[in-house]
Amino acid sequence: MIKKALSSLLVLASLAFAQRTLEVWIMPNSPQPAEDFKALVAPFEKAHGVEVKVTVLDWGVAWTKITTAATSGVGPDLTQLGTTWVGAISAMGVLEPVDDVLEALGGEKAYLPAVWRTTRLEGARQATAVPWFSELRAFYYRTDALRAAGVNPAEMFASWQGFEAGLARLKASSFRDPETKAPLAPLCTPGKNSWDVLHNAAPWIWGAGGEIVRQAGGRWQSALNSPESLEGLYFFLSLAQKGYVPAESLEKNTAQIEADFQAGKCAVFASGPWMIQRAQVPEAKGGFAERTAAKNLGVAPYPAGPKGRYTFFGGSNLALFNFSKNKPLAKELLKYLGGPEAQVRYAQMTGMLPALRSAWSDPSFQQNPLLRTFIQAAQFGRTYPSLAGWGGVENLAVQHLGMAWDLVAQGRLTREALKDLMDKASAAINQALR
């Protein structure tokens, strides 16, 4: 009898211990992802008497791991989701509603519309993801190169016409990088070999009044072949064909373009807020603080197109699996990670921006003029619709945009050829959306 009672107590004790452990999957968001995350949650662990176990998934395997967990019912309590993944994982019916968490964090008004849109499957009433951090794009430029070329940044980044005029002046400039002693390319941008091909094109599509997809008759359909989308795409792609982008850039990926800018090879390129952090970090620790580019760094939002100024707004959210045995505690962790203090601290670790608007008032952002520009650019942020089949849509768009970049590299880009490609892309996307 005593032995049986002791056995029962041991079972109860083990269950109690299990309920004080939370498992979280994240991606490599910072230089030391596991260590940084553990430091971030240390106050929560102490306050709640809980151990938070973190597993870092490489982006290359994260989708497979997360969908396997979703279908098997075996996985962590919380997982990071790229904002464009929320629709697909939500549609699988495996995520716990988190409306109460979002309400505790301030509700819809606490976030920009582009961020709020990523909290659920498009059209769903219930939220299934909590915004964690935001990644958006703006243009970095060399202040010394623009000054030498007689280019006023305020004018260059005001409109598409000003942007191209500025590139033309940079191309004609005799300015040379003090370190390399070589001229700078006016603009560096990757072509088809980058993971973010669609993200790079989207602001130009939106600026011309176009869309990636739009609803028609209650169905989602491709809009890549609309006159507006084609106008935006042609303007962007033609910048390379006009000689403002070096041919070798079109064979590189985003990381290589960033490295080229740091090395003094480019006057202008687009990237996220993490570059500001790297500009303050020595080369020995992965930054480029010693380089001329870091000492002459400017940031500007995307120029306004005929129909407005936009930038791509991405980032990551956190979601709670509905098979979690620790839902109340997991929701408390969501509130903690989504709150202003943790948002600011993690943004400082990752070089991203907080998803929570109130966190932007922190001095670490407001006292940095480059980060303030990103906060201003965020007001023009847009994201993709959170569709269950978005992954297929994006893959098809990237595939056909890659073909368009091939035309640019071959000097064969025309409006007619671009329309033909986007007609084919739209047919494939529409088939995928049926």
Side-chain angles (χ1 to χ4, degrees), residues 162-228:
F163 187 71
E164 185 168 358
L167 294 179
R169 285 194 172 190
L170 287 166
K171 186 179 180 181
S173 174
S174 60
F175 178 80
R176 290 175 177 265
D177 182 80
E179 292 180 50
T180 67
K181 310 302 181 186
L184 277 67
L187 174 66
C188 289
T189 188
K192 69 176 184 179
N193 294 323
S194 189
W195 65 272
D196 51 358
V197 172
L198 184 59
H199 303 347
N200 294 333
W204 306 99
I205 293 172
W206 294 329
E211 302 281 353
I212 316 298
V213 293
R214 62 164 55 106
Q215 276 188 306
R219 296 173 64 101
W220 286 95
Q221 296 181 348
S222 172
L224 283 173
N225 61 343
S226 71
E228 297 84 1

Side-chain angles (χ1 to χ4, degrees), residues 239-294:
L239 293 175
Q241 191 157 278
K242 291 174 180 177
Y244 300 127
V245 179
E248 57 268 26
S249 285
L250 302 184
E251 300 301 321
K252 296 181 177 181
N253 60 34
T254 297
Q256 291 169 320
I257 295 295
E258 290 178 350
D260 282 351
F261 181 83
Q262 295 174 25
K265 297 180 181 180
C266 316
V268 177
F269 92 115
S271 189
W274 55 84
M275 290 293 293
I276 298 172
Q277 183 188 65
R278 291 181 192 171
Q280 300 167 348
V281 174
E283 288 187 79
K285 295 185 177 181
F288 64 109
E290 300 92 336
R291 306 305 292 263
T292 303

Side-chain angles (χ1 to χ4, degrees), residues 208-210 214 223-234 415 419:
R214 62 164 55 106
L224 283 173
N225 61 343
S226 71
E228 297 84 1
S229 295
L230 291 170
E231 185 64 29
L233 279 173
Y234 187 78
R415 292 181 183 275
K419 184 180 186 308

Side-chain angles (χ1 to χ4, degrees), residues 301-355:
Y302 270 74
K307 300 298 182 181
R309 187 194 301 269
Y310 299 98
T311 187
F312 170 74
F313 217 121
S316 283
N317 294 356
L318 291 166
L320 168 61
F321 279 118
N322 58 17
F323 52 71
S324 168
K325 301 295 192 294
N326 308 303
K327 292 176 187 174
L329 190 58
K331 285 192 172 184
E332 290 305 309
L333 180 55
L334 283 175
K335 292 175 188 176
Y336 172 81
L337 293 171
E341 185 176 339
Q343 288 265 299
V344 169
R345 192 172 179 202
Y346 201 55
Q348 292 169 342
M349 292 175 173
T350 61
M352 301 291 186
L353 283 182

